[in-house]
Amino acid sequence: RPSPAGGTVSRFAPGRIDSTLPPTSSKMNALLGQTVRLGNSVSSRRGNELSAARAPVAAPRARGAVQTQCSLKELRDRISSVKNTKKITDAMKLVAAAKVRRAQDAVVSGRPFSENLVKVLYGVNTRLRGEPIDVPLCDVRPVKRVAVVAVSGDRGLCGGYNNFIIKKAEERMAELDAMKVEHCLFTVGKKATQYFSRRNYNIVRSFDCGQTPTTADAQGLADEIFASFVAEDVDKVELIYTRFVSLINSTPTVQTLLPLTPKGEVCDINGNCVDAANDEVFKLTTKDGELAVEVEERTMDTPEMNPAMIFEQEPESILDALLPLYLNSQILRALQEAVASELAARMNAMNNASDNARDLSKKLSLSYNRQRQAKITQEILEIVGGAAA
């Protein structure tokens, strides 16, 4: 394009002029090119300063730290979610602790009846010592088929409680298979029923007991077992349940239900007594503003049976009436101990979940604060760099 001074401005590159330009236009164009080069150098130096300033902000990753690659808003939402989960687990822990106490009271309240029943059975047996007894529940015959009764819970969120029972039942049935003994399965609880029904196990019948086992629940299971044993469909009945030891300890136990012993002894398959002499009640209280557990041992005293007692009926008739009642009481006690073990396991699981949620919340808060401080530092450096430029 022709210029007013008679020269022509080049359109190929800024700052360049044709040789036909006058001297005044050449000086102005040279000054413009110098200004552009100075601006580029300032921008490059400012970018290097910002990069150098940002480098120390990133903290080294510690072992076990939470690695987060999300925005501040996502971190805030996650922290809020973890805190809400902790509130839920704390509430479930307190509910389970209250239910454990009621389950223990149910076990302890039924102990005097069981002890007196055992003493009556022992007294009747001493009278019949040396005499042949024809009682179906005491009939010991060669074992060709075994009925396994597995007692589990109806819900999850209780740690490994249900898995322990299922594994114990599978191990026992594997032992029976190794001895080439047939077996069938009775399940109590939804978890055991769901697990074994999806696999090739011979489930005869399933039962539900809930969180508060009653005499009717135990009677239904006892009638089914009694009918199978008397009809000689099975030669032995074994009960697999979780024996309640303490709030932090419970033992999966295999107990022989049938055939019964006339003395009323409660033993496992190895002959060890599983009926504790004393009951321990665990109370959940507060101490110094924190939850604490107190142990109280309760011993039930039952009077000795009078040796001069006279039985009006035949001893066999008495045993026929007492042994089914004793079987029902043992099944009810096993169900109550299983429920107490499940609730104790749930309380411990919720306690561990609350602790993990608290630790995770602390780590997420630390990561959130670091990212927030890094963002603030970056904005300050950009403001300072812009003012210096």
Side-chain angles (χ1 to χ4, degrees):
R1 169 176 89 247
S3 64
T8 304
V9 180
S10 175
R11 63 174 181 269
F12 296 103
R16 293 183 58 186
I17 57 175
D18 292 338
S19 58
T20 57
L21 289 176
T24 304
S25 300
S26 176
K27 289 182 180 180
M28 291 179 64
N29 210 359
L31 181 61
L32 179 61
Q34 184 178 2
T35 304
V36 171
R37 288 192 297 272
L38 179 61
N40 292 334
S41 63
V42 170
S43 300
S44 177
R45 185 173 64 255
R46 179 185 172 188
N48 295 334
E49 290 176 354
L50 288 176
S51 300
R54 291 172 186 171
V57 175
R61 293 181 178 179
R63 180 176 297 179
V66 179
Q67 306 297 334
T68 55
Q69 299 292 335
C70 53
S71 62
L72 294 178
K73 182 180 182 302
E74 292 175 348
L75 273 178
R76 285 196 301 267
D77 294 341
R78 190 175 179 188
I79 291 172
S80 177
S81 176
V82 170
K83 289 182 178 179
N84 293 333
T85 303
K86 183 178 179 299
K87 293 179 182 179
I88 295 174
T89 54
D90 286 337
M92 294 181 67
K93 172 187 173 182
L94 296 177
V95 171
K99 290 184 177 180
V100 165
R101 176 60 188 276
R102 289 198 295 269
Q104 291 181 111
D105 291 340
V107 174
V108 173
S109 61
R111 184 164 185 83
F113 173 77
S114 299
E115 287 189 349
N116 283 294
L117 189 57
V118 169
K119 290 186 179 296
V120 172
L121 289 175
Y122 184 78
V124 173
N125 181 67
T126 55
R127 300 292 182 87
L128 297 177
R129 187 171 299 172
E131 298 182 9
I133 304 175
D134 186 13
V135 179
L137 293 180
C138 299
D139 186 13
V140 180
R141 52 182 179 263
V143 178
K144 298 180 181 179
R145 194 181 188 193
V146 177
V148 179
V149 183
V151 181
S152 69
D154 292 335
R155 297 185 300 169
L157 296 178
C158 53
Y161 168 79
N162 294 313
N163 292 332
F164 292 155
I165 288 294
I166 291 173
K167 289 182 180 179
K168 192 72 172 179
E170 287 183 331
E171 290 176 0
R172 182 55 183 165
M173 288 186 285
E175 293 175 358
L176 294 175
D177 290 334
M179 294 185 291
K180 296 181 180 180
V181 177
E182 296 182 3
H183 55 79
C184 59
L185 185 63
F186 293 86
T187 58
V188 180
K190 295 180 180 179
K191 290 298 180 179
T193 302
Q194 293 174 359
Y195 180 85
F196 290 111
S197 62
R198 296 172 183 172
R199 292 159 177 83
N200 296 326
Y201 288 97
N202 183 17
I203 300 178
V204 178
R205 191 172 176 183
S206 301
F207 299 89
D208 294 332
C209 65
Q211 297 293 318
T212 55
T214 60
T215 307
D217 298 332
Q219 187 64 45
L221 178 58
D223 291 342
E224 192 72 24
I225 294 173
F226 178 81
S228 299
F229 186 79
V230 172
E232 297 186 1
D233 293 336
V234 296
D235 302 316
K236 187 180 180 182
V237 180
E238 295 179 353
L239 177 65
I240 302 178
Y241 72 102
T242 306
R243 184 188 173 199
F244 181 80
V245 180
S246 65
L247 288 177
I248 59 175
N249 186 17
S250 57
T251 306
T253 305
V254 182
Q255 174 186 337
T256 300
L257 277 180
L258 294 176
L260 291 174
T261 58
K263 294 183 179 181
E265 297 174 350
V266 182
C267 302
D268 58 9
I269 58 174
N270 299 321
N272 301 320
C273 181
V274 297
D275 195 5
N278 299 325
D279 285 311
E280 290 183 348
V281 177
F282 298 86
K283 298 180 179 179
L284 192 65
T285 60
T286 56
K287 184 177 181 181
D288 298 333
E290 297 181 354
L291 294 177
V293 178
E294 295 181 357
V295 182
E296 178 184 354
E297 184 173 327
R298 294 184 182 179
T299 303
M300 299 297 178
D301 296 329
T302 54
E304 294 291 336
M305 186 175 179
N306 188 3
M309 183 178 295
I310 299 174
F311 296 98
E312 295 181 355
Q313 298 178 354
E314 292 294 330
E316 292 183 2
S317 301
I318 296 176
L319 285 179
D320 286 338
L322 290 181
L323 288 178
L325 188 61
Y326 175 72
L327 175 64
N328 188 10
S329 66
Q330 291 304 316
I331 293 177
L332 178 60
R333 181 177 176 84
L335 295 179
Q336 291 172 344
E337 289 200 11
V339 170
S341 302
E342 178 188 359
L343 294 173
R346 181 170 290 109
M347 186 185 70
N348 292 327
M350 293 300 102
N351 185 26
N352 295 334
S354 298
D355 295 340
N356 294 336
R358 182 173 59 252
D359 296 339
L360 182 59
S361 178
K362 289 181 180 180
K363 292 178 181 179
L364 289 175
S365 299
L366 181 61
S367 178
Y368 172 78
N369 292 332
R370 284 178 176 175
Q371 290 193 20
R372 185 173 59 87
Q373 292 174 0
K375 184 177 181 180
I376 294 174
T377 304
Q378 176 183 354
E379 293 176 354
I380 292 176
L381 290 175
E382 290 178 354
I383 294 173
V384 172

